[in-house]
Each structure stands twice: as C-alpha cells, then as structure tokens.
Amino acid sequence: MSPKAESDRLRVVLVAPRNPLNIGAAARAMSNFGFFHLRVVNPYELAFREARSAVGAEPLLARAEEFKSVAEAVEDCTLVVGTTSVGQRQLQHPVRRLDQAGRPLRKHLATGCAALLFGSEKRGLSNEDLSHCHWLLRIPTREEHRSMNLGQAVAVCLYELARDPQAASKAEKHIPATAADLERLTTLLLDALRSSGYLKASPGGLQKRRSAAPTEEKIRRLVRRLHLSASDAELTLGIFRQILWKSLQDKKPPQ
C-alpha cells in the first residue's frame, strides 16, 4: 500500500476549536505532511475558513467538513484515536505515547480509515468525546507543562505518522570494524603518540614497559569506545599512517 493511500485514509478531527488561527495552523500542518481530510466539530468561530495561519493550505481549509457531533464526524472510520495530556483525569481507555502509537495507526491506515481527535484549546476532549475512541495517545511533554498549542499538537502527531519507519534501514548500514582493524589502528596511534612525545618510548626494561601499560590500555579501550565502522577505521588508519610518516621524516637529520 502506498504512503499516499494511507495518508488519504486519515481524518483529522478538531472538536470544538475556539481559535480560527489554530484551525488554520492545523490545516497548514496537514498540508505539510500530506494529510488532506480535515473535519471540524462545532467550531466556536464559524469564520475559521478565512484563517490567515493556513499559509499554503487554503484549499485544504476551504474543503474542511463541518459536523454537529463527534459521532457524525467519525462514522466512516474503523479506528478512532483521541489525544490527551492525561493530567489528573481518570481515563477508561488504553493510553499510548505518541512514539508507540505511530505503528498501530499506520498499520490500520493500510486497510481502513482512522480518525485522530483533538479537543478544544480550553478543555481538551470531554468524557463524551472520549467515549467514541478506541484508545488514546499522548505527546510526551514534561509534567510541569503538559498541554500544547492545538496547531502544534496536530503537527507533532502528523509528523510521527508521516515519517518513514523504514528510513533507518534504508540508510547506509553500519558495518563495524573488525578487532584486527581496531588493533592495527591502536598500534599506529600508539606509535604516533610515542613519536610525538605524548608517550615515552620504552626501548627495554620490564619496569618501564609496565609503567606505560596502563596508558596504552586506556588508549586501546578508547579506540573501541568509538564504535568505528569498517570504512571509518580504514580512513583513520590512512590518516595516522600519514601523520606517523611525516613525523618520522621530520626527525631525520638533514643529508
């Protein structure tokens, strides 16, 4: 199923919104992320279609559907998800964090229509509104400041739905460097550090070698903490080879 078909099955439902600018901002966010079905239930300001905040989304706002009740707004949907900041409310629904809600919502949109409900700026969704929902989602804001601006909340939720869950796997795969590569890199780095004077060379003497061992072990552990890929390890090896060669050249007495 194409992403376009999935996004076409989502209905963004604003319940009793009070500020036309927020409705316009929600429409703009929908247009940004490729969702085009806006439904408004009992808007406080009937002239919301003229909102200047719907920059670039005027056609979407003009097509917004108006309903008298949540039941009417979601009647063609097989999944209804409400949004909430939770707070002190005693909720009777399962609540998922937004990052946990994206996958089941996307999965449902592959085959059926879903509604995403947002409540009014003043009170959010009422208990009656929530009674139409199958489950709820919340944006993980900090406890001291839970509520978000309506337009921003719509944008954050739609971003989560629009982002490609397979993007990470499509990115260049991280092929880690082998232990042999890391040991060659460690050896070259230690040689460069000795050449620069950072580490004192220990040409003989067991005691001298033992005193240098802790620092060398720290550097070996440091190299492994970098979690280098095979290609990055190869690049770094080349860099240190050049540094070490130049350092040794500079130390040669003039001919």
Side-chain angles (χ1 to χ4, degrees):
M1 187 60 59
S2 71
K4 184 176 180 181
E6 292 177 7
S7 64
D8 196 52
R9 294 194 179 106
L10 182 73
R11 283 79 172 108
V12 175
V13 181
L14 308 183
V15 182
R18 300 176 63 85
N19 190 333
L21 293 177
N22 286 333
I23 303 175
R28 181 176 183 176
M30 292 175 64
S31 181
N32 285 148
F33 295 113
F35 299 93
F36 301 103
H37 295 287
L38 175 61
R39 296 180 174 180
V40 183
V41 178
N42 293 326
Y44 185 80
E45 174 55 67
L46 295 178
F48 69 86
R49 296 178 194 276
E50 301 170 12
R52 296 181 180 179
S53 52
V55 179
E58 294 87 355
L60 190 155
L61 191 58
R63 294 193 307 270
E65 300 175 85
E66 291 184 59
F67 296 88
K68 293 294 184 183
S69 68
V70 170
E72 294 173 342
V74 302
E75 64 181 7
D76 62 336
C77 298
T78 50
L79 174 66
V80 180
V81 178
T83 57
T84 178
S85 61
V86 183
Q88 304 300 316
R89 302 180 70 168
Q90 297 298 316
L91 299 172
Q92 306 301 315
H93 293 74
V95 182
R96 293 182 168 105
R97 280 171 48 113
L98 178 57
D99 55 326
Q100 300 165 339
R103 174 177 283 185
L105 249 174
R106 283 191 295 263
K107 183 177 180 181
H108 185 89
L109 289 170
T111 56
C113 293
L116 188 55
L117 270 59
F118 296 86
S120 75
E121 299 90 328
K122 192 172 184 179
R123 295 188 177 88
L125 293 170
S126 68
N127 288 336
E128 183 181 352
D129 299 332
L130 293 177
S131 69
H132 294 277
C133 299
H134 293 85
W135 47 271
L136 310 178
L137 71 79
R138 69 178 185 88
I139 299 171
T141 51
R142 67 188 184 98
E143 286 299 311
E144 295 82 358
H145 194 182
R146 285 188 293 263
S147 69
M148 290 183 68
N149 169 269
L150 175 58
Q152 292 176 336
V154 172
V156 170
C157 290
L158 296 185
Y159 165 74
E160 179 63 29
L161 290 179
R163 72 185 182 91
D164 184 357
Q166 304 300 323
S169 62
K170 292 177 183 176
E172 182 180 351
K173 291 184 177 179
H174 179 88
I175 302 174
T178 65
D181 288 337
L182 295 179
E183 188 57 28
R184 281 195 294 271
L185 178 57
T186 302
T187 300
L188 265 178
L189 177 55
L190 289 172
D191 288 344
L193 292 175
R194 292 188 189 99
S195 178
S196 69
Y198 182 87
L199 285 179
K200 300 296 183 184
S202 50
L206 182 59
Q207 189 61 38
K208 286 186 177 181
R209 289 198 298 274
R210 283 178 177 171
S211 64
T215 301
E216 295 180 5
E217 290 166 5
K218 286 180 182 179
I219 291 170
R220 181 171 282 105
R221 291 194 295 269
L222 169 64
V223 170
R224 280 142 185 84
R225 284 200 302 271
L226 297 175
H227 300 295
L228 293 172
S229 66
S231 58
D232 286 346
E234 187 63 32
L235 175 64
T236 310
L237 277 167
I239 291 171
F240 280 122
R241 285 192 188 104
Q242 181 63 26
I243 290 173
L244 184 58
W245 177 83
K246 187 64 168 64
S247 175
L248 294 175
Q249 288 296 113
D250 291 342
K251 287 184 177 181
K252 285 184 179 180
Q255 299 295 326

